[in-house]
Amino acid sequence: MKQANHTIRLKNLNVGFGQGAKQSVVLSDLNLQVKPGETIALLGLNGSGKSTLLRSIARLQPLLSGNIFINDIELNKWPGKDLARRLSFVSTEIINNNNLHVFDLVALGRFPHTNWSGKLSVNDREIIYDALSSVEISKYAYTRFNELSDGEKQRAMIARALAQDTPIIILDEPTAFLDLPHKYEIFRLLQEQSLSKGKSIIIAIHDINIAISEADKIWLASEGGIVEGAPEDLIIDHTIDSVFGKGKAVFDFTSGSFKVPRKHSKSIYLQAAEYDATWTKRALERLGFKVDCNKAGDLSVAINQFENRLIWELTIGDRKKTYNTIYDLSLTLKTLKFDNYG
């Protein structure tokens, strides 16, 4: 069953720290909107104000000026319990309690929905177990929270937000302690929650690749403000690489990721025929070769098949040698001197 949809609107918003003459504005003049069923990735360099913005939206720190509206009602006018039924927040801060079991931690998310006694109903317990299952930590339900790894703790904190079952979920670096597969799985889980239940989700994240591939919209914190748009729009108009590509790294439009350009001092011919040469090409470039797939030369690598497996044939002038792995090929290319080639 879908929840009532909730729209978040930021109007002329300034966020930061301090009051009066001692104000320190981090992000200013924000006029943004989060629509129901929308997953937004908040990106920006360290210190750009991502956490400050999310904490301000979650009413965990005061606004400097401007306002935030949820369904056209000012954020500060929502009673605490009503707001807790509509908005949940996951931070990178992990709580420490030696006696708290994982089930009990996740159950805290149900308290805005219980009566004055805080007693969990059968439905509450089903929601808690569903949340634990969603982030794949059901087997730790009755394990003490402090006995979990950092990644498992972070998944438990996300489960608590899912159990709170709010139409708005705000997450500050929720994948910080997760391995790469779980980073994608958690992001996809949240996106599915957004699509199936109309939830509005804002996620601050450092992983640009995940944001580009999974988010509906990106908020990009830059120069004290926010630039927004679909990931593809911000790639096409060079907004993303203008913010993150100020060092040696450059944005690769083909792969959608940042790379540091390599100096290619020698050329090598790569012959692949019907075999995929993508990873061989990457390995050769990492070794400092300029790879040419069109013009044959005295230095070349050919990818072939032998007994249902790939082999690599290195040719240096009139000498040839075959390798079973790219690693073995790389060892030879690193140790040989090719002064007469390229």
Side-chain angles (χ1 to χ4, degrees):
M1 182 176 69
K2 288 191 175 183
Q3 298 169 316
N5 292 334
H6 286 67
T7 298
I8 307 170
R9 185 163 54 90
L10 282 53
K11 183 177 180 181
N12 302 327
L13 182 66
N14 289 351
V15 298
F17 307 93
Q19 295 293 326
K22 295 184 178 180
Q23 278 190 5
S24 176
V25 179
V26 179
L27 291 168
S28 63
D29 196 27
L30 304 181
N31 290 280
L32 304 167
Q33 182 170 289
V34 186
K35 298 178 180 179
E38 192 166 55
T39 301
I40 292 178
L42 176 58
L43 295 175
L45 299 173
N46 289 338
S48 60
K50 300 186 298 296
S51 294
T52 303
L53 175 59
L54 294 189
R55 289 179 61 82
S56 298
I57 296 174
R59 208 167 75 179
L60 295 175
Q61 69 180 64
L63 312 180
L64 297 186
S65 63
N67 220 324
I68 298 172
F69 298 87
I70 296 177
N71 281 5
D72 294 325
I73 299 174
E74 292 182 21
L75 181 65
N76 288 333
K77 291 184 178 179
W78 283 94
K81 193 165 186 177
D82 287 345
L83 184 63
R85 289 171 179 161
R86 288 161 176 81
L87 188 151
S88 53
F89 180 80
V90 179
S91 74
T92 52
E93 298 175 7
I94 303 295
I95 64 172
N96 289 303
N97 187 307
N98 293 329
N99 297 315
L100 191 67
H101 289 91
V102 173
F103 179 91
D104 299 324
L105 170 78
V106 177
L108 293 174
R110 295 304 304 159
F111 286 167
H113 304 279
T114 60
N115 59 24
W116 63 271
S117 68
K119 185 177 180 180
L120 297 173
S121 67
V122 173
N123 182 59
D124 290 325
R125 291 181 175 275
E126 288 178 353
I127 291 172
I128 293 166
Y129 283 118
D130 283 345
L132 288 165
S133 176
S134 294
V135 298
E136 299 180 353
I137 57 169
S138 297
K139 63 182 179 181
Y140 300 122
Y142 296 101
T143 300
R144 284 185 172 85
F145 181 71
N146 277 7
E147 295 176 5
L148 302 182
S149 69
D150 286 343
E152 290 160 350
K153 287 178 180 178
Q154 194 65 23
R155 281 190 275 161
M157 301 297 284
I158 294 169
R160 184 180 69 170
L162 294 177
Q164 195 170 337
D165 198 22
T166 56
I168 301 168
I169 306 178
I170 297 175
L171 307 101
D172 189 4
E173 296 292 343
T175 62
F177 301 109
L178 302 182
D179 54 42
L180 187 60
H182 279 111
K183 286 179 187 283
Y184 276 94
E185 288 168 11
I186 290 296
F187 208 108
R188 183 59 58 84
L189 167 66
L190 293 167
Q191 188 187 52
E192 288 172 355
Q193 291 276 315
S194 175
L195 291 173
S196 64
K197 298 183 179 180
K199 293 181 184 288
S200 303
I201 298 177
I202 311 173
I203 311 173
I205 189 170
H206 275 298
D207 196 312
I208 298 174
N209 290 341
I210 294 178
I212 288 173
S213 64
E214 302 295 333
D216 298 310
K217 185 193 290 184
I218 287 176
W219 284 358
L220 184 55
S222 174
E223 298 179 353
I226 296 281
V227 180
E228 66 171 346
E232 296 78 11
D233 291 328
L234 299 186
I235 290 171
I236 291 171
D237 67 10
H238 296 279
T239 299
I240 287 181
D241 55 295
S242 69
V243 172
F244 292 102
K246 294 180 179 178
K248 293 182 179 180
V250 297
F251 190 76
D252 185 331
F253 283 82
T254 302
S255 64
S257 60
F258 282 87
K259 295 181 179 179
V260 177
R262 301 179 184 276
K263 294 181 180 180
H264 299 135
S265 57
K266 297 175 176 62
S267 295
I268 189 168
Y269 173 56
L270 177 59
Q271 183 181 4
E274 69 267 29
Y275 305 111
D276 187 355
T278 302
W279 297 105
T280 303
K281 182 174 184 291
R282 286 183 57 164
L284 295 174
E285 290 175 339
R286 184 176 67 247
L287 293 169
F289 289 96
K290 180 180 179 181
V291 179
D292 192 333
C293 296
N294 300 310
K295 183 180 178 182
D298 291 332
L299 178 62
S300 66
V301 171
I303 305 175
N304 295 300
Q305 191 172 32
F306 177 74
E307 294 182 348
N308 295 321
R309 59 183 175 82
L310 293 180
I311 59 172
W312 289 261
E313 187 176 75
L314 173 64
T315 300
I316 307 172
D318 56 358
R319 293 176 293 160
K320 292 186 178 182
K321 189 173 182 179
T322 299
Y323 301 88
N324 294 320
T325 67
I326 294 176
Y327 176 73
D328 290 334
L329 170 66
S330 299
L331 290 178
T332 298
L333 290 175
K334 287 177 73 173
T335 55
L336 291 178
K337 304 297 182 182
F338 300 115
D339 295 334
N340 296 325
Y341 300 98

